[in-house]
Amino acid sequence: MPGARRAAALAVSLLFAGCAGDHSTLDPAGPSARAVATLWWIMLGGSAVIFAATTAALVLAWTRPRIFGGDPSRPLVLWGGLILPSVILVALVFAAFALGERMIGRSGSTDLLRIEAEGRRWQWEFRYPGAGGLATIDTLHVPAGREIEFSVTSTDVIHSFWVPRLGGKIDAIPGHRNTIRLLADTPGRYGGVCAEFCGTGHTVMRFEVIAHAAEDYDAVLARLAAGEAPEEMPGDRP
Amino acid sequence: MSANPDMISPIKLHKELARLWDTPPGWGRFSAVNHTVLGKRFIIAAFVFFSIGGVLAMLIRAQLATSGSAFVGPEIYGQIFTMHGSIMMFLFAIPMFEGFAIYLLPKLLGARDMAFPRLTAFGFWCYIFGGSILIVAMLAGVAPDGGWFMYTPLNSGVYSPGINADVWLLGITFVEISALSAAVEIIVSVLKLRAPGMSIDRMPIMAWYLLITAFMMLFGFPPLILGSVLLELERAFDLPFFDPTRGGDSLLWQHLFWLFGHPEVYIIFLPAAGAISMMIPTFARHELVGYRTIIVAVIAVAFLSFGLWVHHMFTVGIPHLALSFFSAASGLVAIPTAIQIFAWIATIAHGRPRFDVPMLYLGGFFVVFIIGGLTGVMLAMVPFNFQAHDTHFVVAHMHYVLVGGFVFPMLAAAYYWLPHFTGRTSDHRLSVPAFWMIFGGFNLTFFLMHLTGLLGMPRRVETYPMEAKWDWLNLVSSIGGFIMAIGFALFVLDIVVQARFGMPARRNPWQARTLEWATATPPTSYGFASLPLIEDRADRLDPEKLGPALARGDGYLGFTRNGWMETLGVDMVTARPTEVVVLPRSTFLPLWTALAIGSFVLCLLFKFYWLSLLPVAVVVVLFLMWAAATGNREDTPPLDIGHGQSAEVHWQVERPPSWWAMTFTLAADGVVVTSLIFSALFLRVVAPDWPPATAAAAPTAALALAVIASIAAAAAGRFGVGRLKAGASPIAAQAACLLLHVVALAALAAGLAGIDDATRHAQAAMLAAVLGLAALHVAIGIIFAGFGLWRAANGYVSPRRSLDLRIGGLWHDATAVIVLVCVVSGVLLALAAGGEVW
Amino acid sequence: MRAHRSIDLPLVAAGFTIWSIGFVAVYGVLSLGCAAGWDTVPVLGPVTLQRAILVALSLGTAAATAAVTLLLARRRPAATGQGGPTDFLRIVAFYTAVAATASVLFTFSGVAVLSSCVP
Ligand SMILES: [Cu+2]
């Protein structure tokens, strides 16, 4: 059953992948984004059923009220208004709790790579602790297949760090340091944006994530720290 | 019903009442206080603002129609989307529902007007002047441009040095005065000004909806007003409440804003749901199913909606457990909403439904609102929200909820009550194509916009690259937007044509069973020539029979006396008549007062801070004139109200509408005080840079004196009332009350003077704010005490006429509590920050 | 002349008023606890001080709404027919309290397990 569902979700996402740009949450490239995309497809399907059922109830109430029995308020208000929505809601909320805990709760991983992201009007600066004071502007280099914890802050107004194909966003707030864990499955380039309105340059406050093969990553950082261009750049995403 | 004892002809009764209640012609129109007149003005003004907001929406869609658009630059675009949101929320939705409530409520309840007609007028002028400030600023090119939720530090002085943000903070707060006064007025009118016999279990369902909504406003608006005042203080005087470099926190703004902002959505939806609950029974030809269940559901929504605000802040870095409370509550609120929807469906299933234009628009409501509700539950789920937040998915969701939950029901309501407003029937010629254009255009604009968001398009970008592949989606949205705009134009045309040339309608054209259809259509200024006795639930009446009987003067108060405008006050629960409420005649005072407040706002806007004290003085004088215009120097014997019953005049009873109004105002005031203290606590716990290097100190001796003096002032006020009731003079006690307030004010001033530099750190600024709020209460206490003294000295009070002193007493009591709470919090704030306490 | 006084009208908000107080208390204490580091103070096995306090507060709120519901159940009229305004208000107050109790249980349902502070 989960396999079939995943296949269905995959089929639909492939449908969209064709028309999706570099920022599509429906074309996930990491576990966080994939989990949320799956949640989305399930919620979309459920919502379609609920919408169809409610609309059908309305139309039937108008045209064939007898099918609700002698006292229509019991099946409609009690079941339609209270019991069914409660059951669905409890299931959905608990599933979301479990997923949320995996995404933003405490991490079990001991192999976290830390990268600092600092938003300012209107660019992103990324710093790589342990890479000789390396800092890059508007380009973020990460290793593929390894979970990274981003420590995000701002020096002026509120921004929001978001790489849609990898996973959720986190706000960059002056005076606070927020964290988010992301992972890119494969080497490639992923679009990033500032999601929180931050003034006239908000629109152009984009950045690019380049995921390198894990075994090349240290070498890439070393070359960048030495001021050279990284020799080998992953091409456009497949 | 028994006959009117001194049977006069309905025509003569009408002329006598009209002479008293009608608004004067010519310039006198500006003195209107009548609910029918002002309700219509509110609705028309709100629709004008809606049109302005709609034009801005068209500009947004024009800009986003294609990638790389250069139609407007980012500076102008910021103003456009900020003004679109602000206008639709604050200048359209809330005032539109207020207008409906003001127009309909007295007619639904069987009263002749709202409880405080001058307050209605005052609220209207505050709304018009505040709204005008925003529109004029936009025309001058200095409209707010930091987004309609005004996040700091973007809208703080450093990053928005211009006047733009001040326009929002001052203009919107000015408009909020009308929202708060409407809230108090609606609560008191529903609870006190009902027809005799309309006990609380017989109220029309709309009255329940409005009552609960008004309570939400009473608790929802104060945090926003407080936040706006604090941010304006930061911008004007550099008090760093939200500045993270000096112990403030931008998250404080977000909490205060959304603590208002989420209930706001339900404040907009619930009155519309009330209107739906009125219309569906009429067209289903069956009374509302689950009257009691719906009331329980609406109470649940009202509370739960205050536990959702953080779902606008899921990505600000709050622990998952805390997010889970808000996530669960956000999902939970869908249940009472579903109960209402299925109660409406069940009403249709029970009845013999009949189709007409309002039902067509309600069909649009069902489809659009259900989709909005479903996407709302999706957004309540934390993991999904992390992706969808701040994208066009949210833009789509929000429009489904607000247009589905408010605009479609209001369009239905416009067609439903149009015959009541104009006395003309509506026909179907343009209303049906208008519906399909609005409905089709709306879904074309916003349905695929969910996908635009999921494909990664953030909100509030003025352009996007072609590679993002959002072009076709945005183009579809823009085309839909223009179709919807044409639909609205058709709607306006249709309404104007019908109002002007429609066939005259007979009474109660839809065969509704509620009281508003028992008035003449269009209604007379006084609504009911005599007030009905309600003997069944108020949605089971027969307006066709009731209307002529009331016009004949068969009900209560079917006469005039003393040139008074009278309506009945009843017991809140049983609706037994308890008092004759004498309402004020047309007056320019509300207009002058709103103008004076407007000049105060303009002084602040242009930074003439010293000059601003002048309009403040004028406002105080005008409010005193306002209060002085009522009352009596002699005791009034019990008054005949018809049906062989009599009642006291309202200023001679223990708890008339004005007493309740003061009580509810103080409840809202309590929310302000509580919010401020929680804000201080929040900064202490969450903000960076605490404790401050040099903390401001609290002079305990002076502050203790302030507490003692204000408690003594309250005691003196109470003692004075006791003296008065015992037949003695309250003057000495009132004078003592006044004097003690002066002492308290001086002591608080000394405390404030002890803060050497309130701009250094948020701790000092918060201390100043807490003590300043206490001082403000004491200063107003001085005015109340002085007014009481003047009333007592001039014979306006007697053992039976103690109301003036008792209303002042409520204020003195509240002030004593507030000063105590503020002083304790101030001392704790000094201690917690390591400051000296001496 | 004294206005008829009735506690029945405000009691329709009793259940959810407790929900509100509990909500503010639990959320407030959570923030305080994270600031004070209670999430690193073990109490019993894997249970931290933070967790213990939050669970206790949630259970306390649930108990309070349940108690109010029981009290209101006793005030509820025997028959649910046309009993006049007082009976009406008592029935509304009872069902609202039931809804509030359910709301407390659901709102705080994550309190025992989810991460209580940002790592
Ligand atoms: Cu930004």
Side-chain angles (χ1 to χ4, degrees):
Chain A
M1 173 64 189
R5 205 174 53 203
R6 195 166 304 154
L10 190 69
V12 191
S13 27
L14 282 177
L15 202 73
F16 278 105
C19 62
D22 213 13
H23 297 82
S24 174
T25 63
L26 304 181
D27 182 15
S32 257
R34 191 171 309 108
V36 174
T38 308
L39 176 65
W40 152 252
W41 292 115
I42 293 168
M43 290 196 300
L44 178 65
S47 296
V49 172
I50 295 171
F51 177 76
T54 313
T55 315
L58 174 63
V59 171
L60 289 174
W62 192 287
T63 54
R64 290 197 174 72
R66 273 154 201 244
I67 70 163
F68 297 110
D71 178 10
S73 45
R74 202 170 173 78
L76 284 169
V77 181
L78 188 65
W79 283 92
L82 185 63
I83 297 174
L84 286 177
S86 300
V87 170
I88 296 167
L89 189 70
V90 169
L92 179 62
V93 163
F94 286 171
F97 281 178
L99 179 56
E101 192 59 18
R102 222 171 68 203
M103 280 170 58
I104 63 167
R106 280 183 200 282
S107 163
S109 168
T110 50
D111 182 34
L112 276 179
L113 177 71
R114 244 175 102 83
I115 297 179
E116 291 172 10
E118 188 176 282
R120 69 174 87 100
R121 305 211 295 173
W122 286 282
Q123 54 178 220
W124 291 96
E125 181 177 318
F126 303 103
R127 287 192 288 264
Y128 308 80
L134 173 66
T136 55
I137 301 286
D138 287 347
T139 308
L140 168 60
H141 298 272
V142 299
R146 186 166 163 201
E147 192 166 36
I148 306 139
E149 184 174 85
F150 292 96
S151 168
V152 183
T153 190
S154 160
T155 52
D156 41 41
V157 305
I158 299 176
H159 305 276
S160 190
F161 171 88
W162 187 31
V163 189
R165 294 190 58 211
L166 299 189
K169 55 184 75 66
I170 194 79
D171 291 357
I173 303 174
H176 293 266
R177 203 161 259 292
N178 285 329
T179 56
I180 188 165
R181 292 193 306 274
L182 296 175
L183 184 152
D185 289 331
T186 52
R189 291 163 181 264
Y190 308 102
V193 293
C194 169
E196 183 65 60
F197 181 65
C198 54
T200 50
H202 170 56
T203 303
V204 297
M205 198 169 158
R206 303 192 189 100
F207 60 98
E208 189 177 41
V209 183
I210 303 179
H212 303 269
E215 60 273 19
D216 301 339
Y217 185 63
D218 288 340
V220 169
L221 288 195
R223 274 197 294 278
L224 284 166
E228 302 163 26
E231 235 166 56
E232 178 198 348
M233 296 278 279
D236 283 332
R237 63 195 182 79
Chain B
M1 281 189 191
S2 73
N4 179 356
D6 326 300
M7 196 65 184
I8 54 170
S9 82
I11 307 288
K12 184 153 177 285
L13 180 58
H14 165 71
K15 283 189 174 156
E16 281 181 10
L17 284 165
R19 190 174 54 80
L20 290 177
W21 290 79
D22 278 3
T23 300
W27 289 106
R29 289 171 206 277
F30 288 94
S31 68
V33 294
N34 184 270
H35 73 284
T36 298
V37 174
L38 287 163
K40 283 195 249 181
R41 286 185 191 170
F42 257 106
I43 290 170
I44 291 168
F47 204 85
V48 169
F49 283 114
F50 176 72
S51 313
I52 300 172
V55 169
L56 294 171
M58 292 302 96
L59 295 178
I60 294 174
R61 284 322 318 169
Q63 168 77 14
L64 293 181
T66 55
S67 56
S69 163
F71 175 54
V72 293
E75 292 83 7
I76 301 293
Y77 190 70
Q79 295 194 20
I80 291 176
F81 73 70
T82 303
M83 283 298 283
H84 168 71
S86 306
I87 287 177
M88 290 308 199
M89 284 290 179
F90 298 103
L91 305 181
F92 160 62
I94 293 282
M96 178 60 90
F97 119 68
E98 285 167 18
F100 258 95
I102 288 165
Y103 179 90
L104 273 183
L105 202 43
K107 301 176 181 89
L108 287 172
L109 298 173
R112 283 180 175 151
D113 207 322
M114 297 288 281
F116 309 105
R118 294 180 300 182
L119 199 60
T120 320
F122 174 64
F124 175 74
W125 293 118
C126 287
Y127 161 47
I128 293 296
F129 295 151
S132 304
I133 289 175
L134 272 111
I135 301 299
V136 169
M138 185 173 74
L139 295 176
V142 289
D145 55 2
W148 77 271
F149 35 82
M150 295 292 290
Y151 273 8
T152 61
L154 181 59
N155 286 288
S156 301
V158 183
Y159 301 102
S160 295
I163 196 176
N164 312 51
D166 302 308
V167 167
W168 194 98
L169 294 168
L170 294 167
I172 294 294
T173 305
F174 196 7
V175 174
E176 296 329 328
I177 297 175
S178 84
L180 268 185
S181 45
V184 171
E185 193 171 11
I186 289 171
I187 292 172
V188 177
S189 300
V190 172
L191 289 178
K192 286 296 293 177
L193 296 196
R194 304 200 298 266
M198 191 190 281
S199 51
I200 201 145
D201 54 328
R202 290 178 178 166
M203 294 204 305
I205 191 74
M206 182 76 163
W208 273 105
Y209 272 104
L210 288 173
L211 176 67
I212 293 166
T213 308
F215 269 110
M216 293 174 68
M217 293 168 78
L218 207 58
F219 293 101
F221 276 93
L224 173 69
I225 292 174
L226 174 73
S228 301
V229 170
L230 293 183
L231 183 51
E232 187 54 31
L233 283 174
E234 174 174 311
R235 292 180 54 86
F237 304 113
D238 199 28
L239 301 183
F241 300 109
F242 307 106
D243 180 356
T245 63
R246 285 179 288 164
D249 199 327
S250 56
L251 290 180
L252 173 60
W253 170 265
Q254 297 193 16
H255 280 292
L256 288 173
F257 186 88
W258 291 120
L259 189 47
F260 146 82
H262 206 93
E264 156 89 348
V265 176
Y266 293 90
I267 289 169
I268 292 171
F269 167 62
L270 289 180
I276 297 166
S277 300
M278 299 286 286
M279 288 184 266
I280 285 192
T282 299
F283 290 105
R285 289 184 277 197
H286 189 279
E287 69 179 42
L288 186 64
V289 168
Y291 174 84
R292 210 165 49 200
T293 311
I294 287 182
I295 292 165
V296 172
V298 177
I299 293 171
V301 170
F303 276 94
L304 290 173
S305 72
F306 279 85
L308 322 179
W309 82 89
V310 166
H311 79 209
H312 299 265
M313 303 167 61
F314 276 170
T315 61
V316 303
I318 291 174
H320 189 218
L321 178 56
L323 299 186
S324 80
F325 305 149
F326 294 92
S327 172
S330 307
L332 197 53
V333 80
I335 306 279
T337 310
I339 287 177
Q340 291 170 70
I341 288 176
F342 279 94
W344 295 326
I345 295 178
T347 307
I348 292 171
H350 265 290
R352 293 172 297 119
R354 174 164 54 98
F355 197 74
D356 214 313
V357 173
M359 283 311 284
L360 180 63
Y361 282 84
L362 286 186
F365 149 78
F366 271 107
V367 170
V368 174
F369 185 71
I370 291 170
I371 294 176
L374 290 168
T375 54
V377 173
M378 296 179 188
L379 282 170
M381 299 305 116
V382 174
F384 181 68
N385 188 289
F386 263 68
Q387 282 287 43
H389 175 64
D390 268 339
T391 69
H392 270 72
F393 188 95
V394 173
V395 179
H397 156 71
M398 177 176 76
H399 283 86
Y400 267 87
V401 170
L402 292 175
V403 175
F406 187 72
V407 176
F408 275 104
M410 282 292 120
L411 294 171
Y415 280 110
Y416 181 73
W417 278 292
L418 191 68
H420 194 282
F421 280 86
T422 62
R424 294 175 189 277
T425 50
S426 49
D427 58 40
H428 304 171
R429 252 166 253 152
L430 282 176
S431 51
V432 176
F435 169 79
W436 287 110
M437 293 192 80
I438 295 172
F439 182 76
F442 174 84
N443 285 296
L444 204 56
T445 311
F446 292 106
F447 191 72
L448 284 175
M449 195 184 280
H450 294 108
L451 181 59
T452 318
L454 292 176
L455 294 186
M457 182 165 170
R459 301 168 81 162
R460 298 174 169 182
V461 291
E462 86 276 2
T463 180
Y464 48 93
M466 211 205 302
E467 308 84 72
K469 299 181 180 164
W470 302 324
D471 274 74
W472 69 278
L473 290 165
N474 277 292
L475 188 62
V476 168
S477 288
S478 294
I479 294 169
F482 283 90
I483 295 173
M484 179 166 44
I486 299 169
F488 276 111
L490 278 186
F491 166 80
V492 175
L493 187 67
D494 190 38
I495 293 288
V496 170
V497 167
Q498 296 195 19
R500 194 84 184 72
F501 305 109
M503 299 273 290
R506 60 194 180 84
R507 192 194 290 273
N508 194 10
W510 311 112
Q511 290 98 53
R513 304 190 64 189
T514 40
L515 202 47
E516 82 272 27
W517 296 101
T519 67
T521 48
T524 53
S525 52
Y526 51 84
F528 300 98
S530 62
L531 307 184
L533 174 66
I534 304 295
E535 288 166 312
D536 199 348
R537 216 169 78 183
D539 58 357
R540 295 171 184 157
L541 306 176
D542 185 356
E544 269 112 308
K545 260 197 218 145
L546 202 53
L550 296 177
R552 272 200 309 274
D554 281 359
Y556 289 93
L557 295 182
F559 47 79
T560 63
R561 79 183 129 214
N562 304 346
W564 282 353
M565 292 161 56
E566 295 177 352
T567 193
L568 280 178
V570 298
D571 178 86
M572 288 183 183
V573 174
T574 62
R576 177 176 50 80
T578 50
E579 69 241 34
V580 174
V581 177
V582 181
L583 295 171
R585 306 281 294 264
S586 299
T587 164
F588 286 97
L589 272 177
L591 174 60
W592 301 143
T593 315
L595 271 176
I597 295 183
S599 349
F600 172 67
V601 168
L602 288 177
C603 284
L604 296 183
L605 199 52
F606 294 109
K607 310 203 185 301
F608 300 135
Y609 296 118
W610 288 109
L611 189 63
S612 73
L613 296 176
L614 185 67
V616 169
V618 176
V619 170
V620 170
V621 170
L622 285 167
F623 271 124
L624 287 174
M625 289 170 64
W626 190 313
T630 55
N632 216 336
R633 291 193 206 218
E634 285 131 37
D635 288 347
T636 309
L639 300 168
D640 170 36
I641 59 171
H643 289 255
Q645 292 171 307
S646 66
E648 292 275 348
V649 70
H650 77 265
W651 55 77
Q652 290 180 187
V653 299
E654 191 71 20
R655 287 176 183 182
S658 46
W659 189 91
W660 285 107
M662 178 52 95
T663 305
F664 293 125
T665 306
L666 288 172
D669 185 35
V671 180
V672 173
V673 175
T674 315
S675 306
L676 181 64
I677 287 166
F678 266 91
S679 300
L681 183 66
F682 176 84
L683 289 185
R684 175 68 194 86
V685 174
V686 174
D689 192 25
W690 276 75
T694 334
T700 318
L703 296 182
L705 176 62
V707 172
I708 292 165
S710 35
I711 291 173
R718 280 173 171 260
F719 182 68
V721 174
R723 295 264 300 161
L724 178 64
K725 284 190 170 172
S729 164
I731 290 184
Q734 276 293 309
C737 173
L738 179 87
L739 216 62
L740 286 160
H741 273 309
V742 173
V743 172
L745 187 62
L748 285 168
L752 278 164
I755 303 168
D756 58 331
D757 181 10
T759 68
R760 190 176 48 220
H761 190 275
Q763 184 259 352
M766 269 295 173
L767 185 58
V770 169
L771 297 183
L773 186 62
L776 179 66
H777 281 88
V778 175
I780 297 173
I782 293 177
I783 296 170
F784 271 107
F787 179 71
L789 198 57
W790 177 78
R791 293 290 262 194
N794 286 278
Y796 281 100
V797 299
S798 76
R800 296 178 66 189
R801 283 175 282 121
S802 59
L803 180 62
D804 285 336
L805 298 192
R806 283 187 293 113
I807 288 183
L810 287 174
W811 186 271
H812 302 317
D813 289 355
T815 299
V817 175
I818 288 168
V819 170
L820 176 67
V821 169
C822 285
V823 162
V824 169
S825 328
V827 170
L828 288 177
L829 195 58
L831 278 175
E836 295 170 62
V837 176
W838 39 269
Chain C
M1 181 179 156
R2 198 170 179 81
H4 165 87
R5 263 208 206 172
S6 171
I7 188 74
D8 289 309
L9 186 52
L11 275 184
V12 301
F16 273 105
T17 303
I18 296 174
W19 174 85
S20 310
I21 295 168
F23 196 91
V24 172
V26 172
Y27 182 44
V29 167
L30 184 146
S31 308
L32 273 176
C34 289
W38 294 344
D39 59 319
T40 55
V41 182
V43 176
L44 190 77
V47 179
T48 61
L49 179 61
Q50 171 86 332
R51 183 79 62 196
I53 293 177
L54 290 176
V55 170
L57 265 178
S58 306
L59 290 177
T61 310
T65 45
V68 165
T69 308
L70 288 179
L71 283 176
L72 291 172
R74 257 193 261 156
R75 289 168 64 89
R76 194 160 66 117
T80 57
Q82 292 298 314
T86 307
D87 283 1
F88 172 85
L89 288 174
R90 289 178 176 192
I91 294 167
V92 169
F94 169 71
Y95 282 110
T96 314
V98 172
T101 309
S103 300
V104 169
L105 294 175
F106 190 58
T107 316
F108 299 138
S109 55
V111 77
V113 284
L114 302 180
S115 309
S116 66
C117 294
V118 175

